[in-house]
Amino acid sequence: MIQTVTKAITPAELGRTLMHEHLVIGFPGWESDTLEHGPTRRDIVARGVDRIEEMKSAGFRSMLDPCPSDLGRDVELMAEVATRANFNLVCATGLYHHELGAPYWKVKLELYPDASDRLAEMMIRELTVGIGETGIRAGVIKLATAQAPMTDYERKVFAAGAKASVATGAPITTHTDAVLGPEQVALLTALGVPAHQIIVGHSCGCADHDYHMTIARTGAYIGFDRFGLEMVIPDDSRVESLLRLVRAGAREQLIVSHDASWCFRGQPAAGEVMDMLGNIGPLHFTRNIAPRLRDGGMTEAEIDSILIDNPRRYFTGEPPHIAGQGIAGQGVTGQGISGQARAPAGHHHPAASST
Ligand SMILES: [Zn+2]
């Protein structure tokens, strides 16, 4: 079963899923801005329901909002949106990275020798009993690093996250600045977390195929979860990198999304990056990116499988086919998008649904 904010669902109920979108975020301390608290709860719920209705019209049934506890997470708001839109929303337990996360945990983890254990205990409670008094349970663990090197704080939070994952079986999804992905996986797997229960988030923030393949070879999922965020890197580059990974046999390890933030707490988002975060619609991938992937030789079924089968496998813990390992299925994908034998757009490759 997969835990959403309103109920537990079967893997089959998950369906087409966006794996990294935010109803609302607020950087720690937002509530101290007494000039501007941002949109009202009612506005946030209304916008969330609107966008989810848009997603439903394109066949989506589920969404993961991996907001960490210290980034304005509001699970009761999430549950209200999920109930009103009759939609599967999964929330996270976990903390943001050293630079932008909440000082509270930095102080605790520095001063109290048992703070990492206590943090793990809290995560386990949020995953198995509920978050605070809400009774709403998290479905995944969110961990984060920014620029290298990983800080001591981040290592301690990762250790707590690994402990909670091992104790509960909950999968982990991370934030990266498109560096430290392999280090994240190495740290977590050394602590007992299977690689196929980890998504290395925002890996599409660089165009380095070797970096992507280093993550792929570990067996972890590779987050191409910032489509539309062109201030970081153009979508053309993301499309090219993704196709290259598919050709290398990593299709079952790809996770796609936009990392949009539909609302911001505090002062409205400023700057182009933040404007873009707020304005990326939930159908950017299916409307604007999927056609480019089809032009690149992928079949509709292969793209659907990234939106449906990969999230399901991640949540259920069923291992994906791993790039570079000679298991049946890899060759099919390779042929499917090799330049010479490219199928015309809309043509379904006969082998498309073989894996
Ligand atoms: Zn995010």
Side-chain angles (χ1 to χ4, degrees), residues 26-38 70-72 102-103 265-267:
F27 286 99
W30 67 271
E31 66 284 351
S32 65
D33 186 346
T34 54
L35 285 177
E36 175 67 77
H37 270 176
D70 51 351
L71 215 59
R265 298 193 191 276
Q267 191 182 20

Side-chain angles (χ1 to χ4, degrees), residues 20 22 66 142 202 259:
H20 197 127
H22 301 286
K142 171 72 175 282
H202 313 334
D259 194 20

